[in-house]
Amino acid sequence: LTLVDWDLPDALNATIGLSSAACQDTPGWTNGWRGCAYSKVGKDPTLCQVEPGKAWPSTVGFTCKYYEVKGLCANGQAKAFAMGPGLNSPETNCCACRGWNPSPSCNRDTQGSCRWTGFCNTWRGPTECESGKCICEEGYCTDTVGTCARDARAQQFQQRVAQLKGIKVDGAPAQCDRETNGRGFLGGG
């Protein structure tokens, strides 16, 4: 008999890292990057999902299959730049990405206390009161003075989406090729 022929009990499978239940990607999950339509694989709906009820180029983001095929999550490893809440957390939605943990360089502890009040000062930004401590919300990291800001990857993603949509994010103007005074390039209002 080889190891493959054995029917191991669930407790033993769990001990050696196997599971009797097959992992399944979250149905319909995408990373939220609507610009995937214009990538090299943008016309493949298994890699860049078309928005329900619409046609290409109305897309809603890259799929779990894209993450696996493109090697963003493969062989038990995940590329950090493609993970996290700014990209809809593929590490919790795609089997190939499971197990990735954010870099320890993102400190969420503001050193603030909410022990007596149950809430954190608003100047700290998006926080949660956990066990009497002010902790930055998921996707945010603290700076040297204890305020919470978007982690670098989530912020870059948010700014790129805003740039594609032509809107302002965090006071920074979107980058445009020319001023249209609110009209589309065909002169509409």
Side-chain angles (χ1 to χ4, degrees):
L1 280 185
T2 65
L3 182 60
V4 182
D5 297 325
W6 295 354
D7 184 18
L8 299 174
D10 286 345
L12 181 56
N13 282 337
T15 303
I16 61 174
L18 301 174
S19 172
S20 59
C23 181
Q24 292 185 356
D25 295 333
T26 301
W29 179 89
T30 71
N31 70 354
W33 189 59
R34 293 177 175 271
C36 71
Y38 302 102
S39 71
K40 290 180 182 178
V41 298
K43 290 189 177 182
D44 182 342
T46 66
L47 302 178
C48 176
Q49 185 174 318
V50 175
E51 187 173 355
K54 304 263 178 130
W56 186 91
S58 294
T59 55
V60 292
F62 286 121
T63 64
C64 289
K65 183 176 179 184
Y66 173 86
Y67 272 69
E68 192 172 354
V69 168
K70 290 299 181 177
L72 297 175
C73 298
N75 303 321
Q77 299 294 315
K79 307 288 185 201
F81 73 87
M83 301 296 120
L87 293 169
N88 203 13
S89 302
E91 66 276 10
T92 59
N93 291 287
C94 302
C95 292
C97 303
R98 295 263 161 88
W100 177 82
N101 287 315
S103 165
S105 63
C106 177
N107 180 13
R108 293 178 53 210
D109 187 355
T110 66
Q111 300 298 310
S113 175
C114 52
R115 182 184 332 209
W116 304 110
T117 62
F119 62 89
C120 302
N121 289 321
T122 57
W123 64 265
R124 291 194 183 280
T127 55
E128 299 168 346
C129 183
E130 294 179 9
S131 302
K133 291 181 165 187
C134 293
I135 306 296
C136 294
E137 289 180 0
E138 189 69 36
Y140 292 82
C141 304
T142 189
D143 59 18
T144 57
V145 294
T147 58
C148 300
R150 277 236 181 257
D151 70 37
R153 179 63 186 145
Q155 189 171 12
Q156 287 174 345
F157 177 72
Q158 183 185 27
Q159 288 173 343
R160 181 66 180 135
V161 168
Q163 183 181 24
L164 291 171
K165 290 181 177 180
I167 59 176
K168 293 181 180 184
V169 176
D170 298 332
Q175 302 296 316
C176 296
D177 290 336
R178 64 188 176 105
E179 178 63 45
T180 62
N181 293 322
R183 294 186 303 271
F185 68 95
L186 297 175

